[in-house]
Amino acid sequence: MLSQFLTWWRTQLSALLRLQPPSGEAQDGRALVIAVLELTPGAPLVVEALARRRGRDGSLGRFTLDSTGIAALHNAGTGLRGPVLLRLPPGLLLEQRVTLPLAAERDLERVLTYEMDRLTPFLATELFWSWTLERRDSVAGQVRLRLSLVPKARLAQLLDALAGAALHPSALDAAAQDGTRRRLPLAQGRPGWWARRGPVLAGALCAGLGVAAAGLPF
């Protein structure tokens, strides 16, 4: 009975570790959304700024990211609360399915970072990326993931222009081929998330250890 409980507890703790908070949006639903309208090499960068409040987006205008437009975009975003979310046009998101040994599930972020140049034509440092666990096959000893990627080089000029407007996106919003949306963090490994989850994880660990200790005499 104790071994069954410990197996369940490890499963629950692993699931808790995999939880990801929604990035690119504040708890009250506020965000500044920068929707990219034109991202063709050699053409002027064009974006639309939208103020998100309670899940609804209100347009603040369209901006060509030259010197004048960058200043105007900065003024439009001044005073708005919440993080900045960068919405990409279709065609930038790359996705593929990846199968890994079941043992890799213990630290998928580290494994994917190390194996990225084998799984894709890129190094992990050359990408904005995230993953979703699609299937766990205990019999075959494998996990199947969906890997979502955006090459950093495609966004370098755009991010530089936004930085000139004092705007620093925290996440990308991109459309997959089937039209569903993907959210990719702009920085791997968010210490703030671990700081918030730390007490929950510690509580789960202590509870599991307490039950395990109580069951030892039996």
Side-chain angles (χ1 to χ4, degrees), residues 124-141:
T125 53
E126 298 172 333
L127 297 167
F128 299 119
W129 59 278
S130 68
W131 54 269
T132 301
L133 181 62
E134 292 191 326
R135 184 182 179 187
R136 182 189 298 106
D137 189 338
S138 300
V139 175

Side-chain angles (χ1 to χ4, degrees), residues 22-26 29-36 47-52 60 73-74 76-87 158-159 162-163 165-173 183-187:
S23 56
E25 192 166 335
R30 291 176 178 262
L32 174 61
V33 180
I34 304 298
V36 183
V47 301
E48 182 178 11
L50 305 113
R52 176 170 295 172
L60 301 174
L73 179 59
H74 171 71
T78 299
L80 292 177
R81 291 174 51 195
V84 180
L85 175 64
L86 185 58
R87 183 182 297 163
L158 173 63
L159 292 175
L162 293 178
L167 298 176
H168 304 282
S170 60
L172 303 177
D173 177 73
R183 191 68 59 89
L184 283 69
L186 281 174

Side-chain angles (χ1 to χ4, degrees), residues 5 11 17 23 27 48 55 85 100 102 118 130 140 153 182 184 189 198 203-204 212:
F5 167 77
T11 302
L17 285 168
S23 56
Q27 290 184 349
E48 182 178 11
L85 175 64
L100 295 173
L102 190 61
R118 183 181 67 83
S130 68
R182 308 281 190 248
L184 283 69

Side-chain angles (χ1 to χ4, degrees), residues 100-107 111 141:
L100 295 173
L102 190 61
E105 190 180 4
R106 298 174 184 173
D107 196 350
V111 172

Side-chain angles (χ1 to χ4, degrees), residues 59-188:
S59 179
L60 301 174
R62 297 189 176 194
F63 305 87
T64 299
L65 297 185
D66 51 19
S67 57
T68 302
I70 288 174
L73 179 59
H74 171 71
N75 293 334
T78 299
L80 292 177
R81 291 174 51 195
V84 180
L85 175 64
L86 185 58
R87 183 182 297 163
L88 301 181
L92 285 183
L93 182 70
L94 307 175
E95 291 196 309
Q96 69 182 66
R97 263 65 183 185
V98 173
T99 301
L100 295 173
L102 190 61
E105 190 180 4
R106 298 174 184 173
D107 196 350
L108 279 171
E109 182 121 353
R110 182 181 63 83
V111 172
L112 289 171
T113 299
Y114 182 77
E115 295 286 338
M116 191 66 72
D117 62 337
R118 183 181 67 83
L119 301 171
T120 75
F122 306 95
L123 297 172
T125 53
E126 298 172 333
L127 297 167
F128 299 119
W129 59 278
S130 68
W131 54 269
T132 301
L133 181 62
E134 292 191 326
R135 184 182 179 187
R136 182 189 298 106
D137 189 338
S138 300
V139 175
Q142 295 177 333
V143 289
R144 186 179 181 185
L145 314 174
R146 182 187 68 231
L147 199 55
S148 301
L149 322 164
V150 175
K152 290 182 178 180
R154 297 292 306 274
L155 303 181
Q157 183 182 359
L158 173 63
L159 292 175
D160 287 344
L162 293 178
L167 298 176
H168 304 282
S170 60
L172 303 177
D173 177 73
Q177 289 186 349
D178 61 1
T180 56
R181 310 298 301 185
R182 308 281 190 248
R183 191 68 59 89
L184 283 69
L186 281 174
Q188 299 301 127

